[in-house]
Amino acid sequence: MQLVARVPSLAARWVPGRRFIVFLCAVVCAALVNPISPGGASHMALAQTESRVPMLFGSAPDVPDNQLQQIVEGTVGELGGDWGVAVKKLDTGQYAVFNGDVQQVSASLYKTWVLDELYHQAKVGQINLDSASTVTGSDAAYDASLGILRLGVGTSITLRRAAYLMITLSDNTAAELLVRNLGPDNVNRFMQENGLKHSVLDWYGSGDNLTTPIDMLREMELVATSHMVDAESSHQMVETMLDQQINDLFPPGLPEGARLAHKTGSLDGLLHDAGIVYGPSGPFVLVAMASNLNSYATARNNMPLLLRRVYDYFNNRPYAPAKYFRETRQTVGHDFLKFYNIYGGTTTFGYPISPEQVVNGTLVQQFERARMEWHPDLAKSTGTTPVPGVTLSLLGQQRAQQLNLTWPASPDPGTGRYFKETGQGIQGGFLDYWLDHGGERIFGLPISPEVPMPNPSNGKTYTTQYFQRARFEYHPELPEGQRIMLGALGSETAVKP
């Protein structure tokens, strides 16, 4: 394989016939401020001192928003170059695109795909994030030719550290090393499996790496909602992108107190930025891609403006979403709908089976698998921790009492998660589901061990575990990945008006 056919540039992989005239000053400055020692250590901390951003466990379906569309088109529609934009507010689904399905050269945006595949392979046990790999001459060749080499030939570096440098400094040597370890075909396969149908990592030099604004939005949406690999992996990817050091596109438009997890890309005549913005009203994904630019100032002046206008639209006006479910002829709105979307929607809660109603002085709404309660005193609407003032009723406990079910405390088995408060633990697939769909915030703590039990709804026996707010059931007859379901506690304990 010829080196020149596949080596990456300072901010994106080089492709035949493309000559670079742009070298990001932010990258070079970051390299000078944060030198990498031969052993791979850095003066830059891997983790931010700020608290972790909240992770969503679901997002709303796309809801085209005409006013948001006007903001996008009014900002970039008449600009020079070829522009593509995609934006979505995750908890409400407000959505707008401009040339969103038009492919452009990805530049360094492809490095987020490599990050995704890295955590995927770590999750399935194919690699260890803390194992070391040695930089080869092929890995280092391009950065060496540019005079910005941070990782010299022979440097031993962990895959986790290489990923951090690849994202935060757009380090090409680290990207080369990771793709070599992971396999470019595996990166492509994982992106296709996750719905990025118009994105291509062309690592063998026959063409360009390509993507679209909509594909990049979908990728960021999966990461932001804990669905890229699993919840903890997605959270670590977000934390890495929050430490981004190349901040000359979206970040100048970011208001004080908001945070941005993002990745940029740069090539000759091309500038991109894609990320997740965390503000008081909840996160949104914004992607802006600009190619065939006559002046980089066009993008550097207008991408911050675009971010600020979208941010102000979402945060400077009240928005009360509502959705009608024709399946049960019920409507869910306001904080109930935001909570429903954030924590998994129909998959987690089923359909609404009642309107909002006041029960014992509390506003509630019944769903097939849960009952929501509105407690405005629980709402947090400042900083980057937006939490609707909604919690779930203790239907797991209530249903167990109705069925006269009690369980003695179990000893700590030393595996999984054990809770002294209830004397029960969670293991295996139930633990993975609990972690990846909201954990204690949604389901509460376990109040039973795993036991085979007849399902009250259909009489069939399933491996079952009761939680304070839910009942987990293992359905072996369902396809892989869908076998853990929540019991229909809402239907079984329906509150009558």
Side-chain angles (χ1 to χ4, degrees), residues 415-460:
T415 59
R417 293 277 295 274
Y418 183 78
F419 299 89
K420 294 181 180 179
E421 301 95 320
T422 61
Q424 304 293 343
I426 323 174
Q427 300 193 61
F430 282 174
L431 176 59
D432 290 341
Y433 187 94
W434 188 82
L435 290 171
D436 289 340
H437 292 82
E440 184 177 355
R441 173 77 169 96
I442 297 302
F443 308 116
L445 302 182
I447 59 174
S448 84
E450 289 185 18
V451 289
M453 297 183 62
N455 184 287
S457 299
N458 61 19
K460 295 182 179 180

Side-chain angles (χ1 to χ4, degrees), residues 53 101 221 233 259 278 286 297 299 316 322 333 344 370 465:
V53 294
D101 58 357
E221 183 177 15
S233 297
R259 300 178 72 187
Y278 294 90
L286 179 63
N316 291 351
Q465 185 167 20

